């Protein structure tokens, strides 16, 4: 039986940094219909909406008492941490203690700990009443529209999570995926019907991991039946299906999220999170070996997943991406001995190295996700060892799934893949040593953008590469957003819409209303 997938492109919509959110809402009782003969055949008012927010889109609250010297503002239990901009501005070092995690074991700072808030209030506004605009308001307008439309309060459920943690740590520390499973089961009992899943940005990666985790919790013969009973449709909004290049920028030079902090401070904070690598770019040609094989590895493998790449990875350029993800200058004052752990991939680049001159090395998506890049700069960057540890321990060695591999189509009845296009989107970077100490030891010297089918540098020069048919949503490249097109079956709806209010006949028949807020 074929399973349909509907793709909606919202033109001129930046979606990755929560600047614009494509909103979907259940129309409720408008139709009693079946999608492809196998969908939900009943009253659509019985459906629930479950929201899985994206990166940095859940409030974090203090779970300890922290006295902040030289500031009248201390942290007490349940005080807002992410995002309390007042305390951030007045006591940034104190605030950082409540945000940082140990990069190796993902435990809290000894003086302060934070935990995610719960319920819809955790995802509606990050900093109510202070910061206005897209940074603060997340799902608030969507919830407001639901209320005006008459949707019942128990029909919308939020499942916030600690977006600083890697997937395995989410389950180990918070039992997040157990709770998510119970949320679906509770919604079914409460409303009498399955749920619609609305996932945004990193929330899609969380949902993917949940589906794989569920395979190990439910008997194989009951797995598909559980999905059919509990999930009617999945709406993937701005999903980084093959990763996002801005993750690399955040790891090397910092990403401030629009906050009044330095890039170095942002980098220090971001690289302490286990989630910092979760959206790293990956090659569509390389997959991890079967998770169950790791029990048969010999001692030299240490239980890590091996990357298996098909011949297209080595025949094509840039791992199928528009260009190399990273181009970086490495000082060569210490010669080739400075690269004890970097041999195979760098040999070609290093053959032209001249004594005393920096060497520019280039890295594809595969070389980023398999750790080759971090090994190359290990002698020049103190974060590399920490990031390599996280990469191998939290991702390559994950007992459920290596998330740094291409997505297969989830085994769900209905999937709606929604993303913006035709925005100027970063697809590659040039870095060089800044001459400053860590965490400001790298400087971003140039950026490669995709825009409407072409590649340009930051200065406006045309760049050679394998540009796609169009560009991405300003944050996630089109190559990654559009990976869901590989899931297309014989029955599919593809709608390209301008950024306006839209109700199409097909969406009414499906029981949802695509709604775009500029």
């Amino acid at each position: 039986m074929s399973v349909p997938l509907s793709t909606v492109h919202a033109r001129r919509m930046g979606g990755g940094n929560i600047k614009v959110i494509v909103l979907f809402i259940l129309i409720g009782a408008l139709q009693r219909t079946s999608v492809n003969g196998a969908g939900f055949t009943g009253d659509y008012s019985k459906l629930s909406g479950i929201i899985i927010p994206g990166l940095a889109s859940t409030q974090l609250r203090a779970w300890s008492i922290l006295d902040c010297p030289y500031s009248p503002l201390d942290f007490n239990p349940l005080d807002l941490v992410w995002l309390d901009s007042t305390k951030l501005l007045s006591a940034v070092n104190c605030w950082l203690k409540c945000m940082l995690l140990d990069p190796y074991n993902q435990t809290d700072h000894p003086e302060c700990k934070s935990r995610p808030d719960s319920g819809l209030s955790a995802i509606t506004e990050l900093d109510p009443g202070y910061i206005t605009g897209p940074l603060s308001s997340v799902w608030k307008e969507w919830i407001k529209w639901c209320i005006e439309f008459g949707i019942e309060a128990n029909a919308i459920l939020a499942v916030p999570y600690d977006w600083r943690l890697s997937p395995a740590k989410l389950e180990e520390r918070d039992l997040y995926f157990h709770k998510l499973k119970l949320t679906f089961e509770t919604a079914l009992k409460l409303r009498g019907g399955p749920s619609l899943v609305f996932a945004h940005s990193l929330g899609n990666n969380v949902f993917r991991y949940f589906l794989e985790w569920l395979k190990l919790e439910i008997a194989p013969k009951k797995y598909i039946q559980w999905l059919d009973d509990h999930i009617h449709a999945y709406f993937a909004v701005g999903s980084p299906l093959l990763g996002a290049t801005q993750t690399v920028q955040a790891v090397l030079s910092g990403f401030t999220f629009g906050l009044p902090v330095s890039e170095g401070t942002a980098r220090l904070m971001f690289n302490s999170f286990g989630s910092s690598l979760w959206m790293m770019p990956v090659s569509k040609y390389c997959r991890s070996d079967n998770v169950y094989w790791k029990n048969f590895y010999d001692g030299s493998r240490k239980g890590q997943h091996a990357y298996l790449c098909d011949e297209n990875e080595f025949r094509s350029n840039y791992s199928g991406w528009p260009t190399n993800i990273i181009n970086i200058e490495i000082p060569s004052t210490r010669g080739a001995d400075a690269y004890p752990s970097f041999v195979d991939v760098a040999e070609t680049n290093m053959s032209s190295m001249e004594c005393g001159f920096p060497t520019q090395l280039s890295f594809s998506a595969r070389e980023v996700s398999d750790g080759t890049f971090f090994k190359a700069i290990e002698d020049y960057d103190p974060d590399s060892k920490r990031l390599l540890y996280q990469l191998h321990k939290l991702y390559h060695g994950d007992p459920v799934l290596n998330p740094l591999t291409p997505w297969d189509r989830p085994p769900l009845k209905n999937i709606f893949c929604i993303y913006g296009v035709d925005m100027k989107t970063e697809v590659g970077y040039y870095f060089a040593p800044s001459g400053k100490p860590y965490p400001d030891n790298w400087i971003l010297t140039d950026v490669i953008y995709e825009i409407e089918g072409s590649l340009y540098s930051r200065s406006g020069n045309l760049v050679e590469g394998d540009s796609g048919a169009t560009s991405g949503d300003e944050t996630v490249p089109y190559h990654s957003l559009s990976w869901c097109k590989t899931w297309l079956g014989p029955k599919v709806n593809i709608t390209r819409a301008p950024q306006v209010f839209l109700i199409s006949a097909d969406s009414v028949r499906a029981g949802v209303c695509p709604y775009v807020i500029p």
Side-chain angles (χ1 to χ4, degrees), residues 74 81 89 109 116 145 171 185 236 295 313 351 357 376 406-407 469 478:
D74 298 327
V81 176
L89 291 169
H109 191 279
W145 192 73
E171 177 62 20
E185 293 170 348
N295 295 322
E313 169 65 25
S351 62
F357 292 91
W407 285 48
Y478 180 75

Side-chain angles (χ1 to χ4, degrees), residues 250-495:
V251 165
L252 281 185
S253 60
F255 188 82
T256 65
F257 297 96
L259 298 175
V261 297
S262 68
E263 289 186 343
T265 299
R267 183 194 182 198
L268 183 70
M269 179 180 70
F270 186 72
N271 286 356
S272 77
F273 303 159
S275 63
S276 62
L277 302 173
W278 204 343
M279 293 192 291
M280 277 291 178
V282 301
S283 171
K284 63 182 179 180
Y285 303 121
C286 299
R287 296 181 177 272
S288 181
D289 53 16
N290 192 299
V291 66
Y292 299 106
W293 292 1
K294 71 174 189 173
N295 295 322
F296 301 99
Y297 287 164
D298 58 33
S300 63
R301 296 292 292 278
K302 297 183 180 180
Q304 300 293 327
H305 301 277
Y307 273 100
L308 308 174
C309 302
D310 64 36
E311 59 183 13
N312 290 319
E313 169 65 25
F314 306 101
R315 288 181 177 178
S316 66
N317 295 323
Y318 321 123
S319 295
W321 285 68
T323 185
N324 283 319
I325 305 298
I326 304 174
N327 304 276
I328 190 166
E329 286 187 6
I330 300 294
S332 58
T333 54
R334 290 187 288 174
D337 291 337
Y339 306 90
S341 59
F342 182 66
V343 180
D344 297 332
V345 177
E347 264 186 359
T348 303
N349 290 322
M350 291 174 60
S351 62
S352 61
M353 181 182 294
E354 296 182 22
C355 181
F357 292 91
T359 298
Q360 180 171 289
L361 305 179
S362 299
F363 299 90
S364 66
R366 172 181 60 85
E367 293 161 343
V368 171
S369 59
D370 70 5
T372 298
F373 165 67
F374 296 111
K375 291 178 183 177
I377 64 171
E378 191 172 6
D379 295 303
Y380 304 100
D381 191 280
D383 260 352
S384 291
K385 290 183 179 180
R386 293 191 286 267
L387 292 169
L388 277 171
Y389 177 86
Q390 292 180 357
L391 187 69
H392 293 306
K393 175 69 174 179
L394 305 179
Y395 293 91
H396 297 173
D398 189 284
V400 174
L401 166 75
N402 179 1
L404 301 180
T405 51
W407 285 48
D408 293 322
R409 188 198 187 284
L412 303 171
K413 289 175 183 162
N414 305 292
I415 299 176
F416 296 78
C417 189
I418 307 101
Y419 50 88
V421 295
D422 287 349
M423 297 293 289
K424 185 178 179 181
T425 306
E426 299 171 6
V427 294
Y429 302 100
Y430 284 82
F431 288 94
S434 67
K436 299 179 181 179
Y438 172 84
D440 300 305
N441 52 310
W442 299 109
I443 184 172
L444 182 63
T445 59
D446 206 352
V447 181
I448 301 174
Y449 298 96
E450 63 176 6
I451 179 169
E452 298 183 352
S454 299
L455 300 178
Y456 291 91
S457 67
R458 187 162 54 183
S459 58
N461 296 323
L462 189 66
V463 177
E464 292 185 5
D466 298 332
S467 57
T470 184
S471 54
D473 69 356
E474 191 175 37
T475 300
V476 182
Y478 180 75
H479 172 75
S480 180
L481 293 167
S482 63
W483 176 248
C484 55
K485 286 189 175 183
T486 63
W487 305 342
L488 297 179
K491 293 188 177 181
V492 59
N493 247 339
I494 299 179
T495 304

Side-chain angles (χ1 to χ4, degrees), residues 61-79:
R61 293 189 178 274
W63 200 251
S64 57
I65 300 173
L66 177 62
D67 294 327
C68 300
Y70 313 112
S71 172
L73 302 176
D74 298 327
F75 282 96
N76 294 295
L78 300 184
D79 282 356

Side-chain angles (χ1 to χ4, degrees), residues 94-128:
C94 199
W95 177 83
L96 275 174
K97 291 178 181 179
C98 295
M99 286 296 301
L100 291 171
L101 298 175
D102 184 284
Y104 290 98
N105 56 29
Q106 293 296 281
T107 55
D108 301 285
H109 191 279
E111 297 182 44
C112 186
K113 67 170 63 174
S114 299
R115 291 295 180 267
D117 204 351
S118 59
L120 287 172
S121 62
I123 68 169
T124 51
E125 283 188 297
L126 296 180
D127 191 8

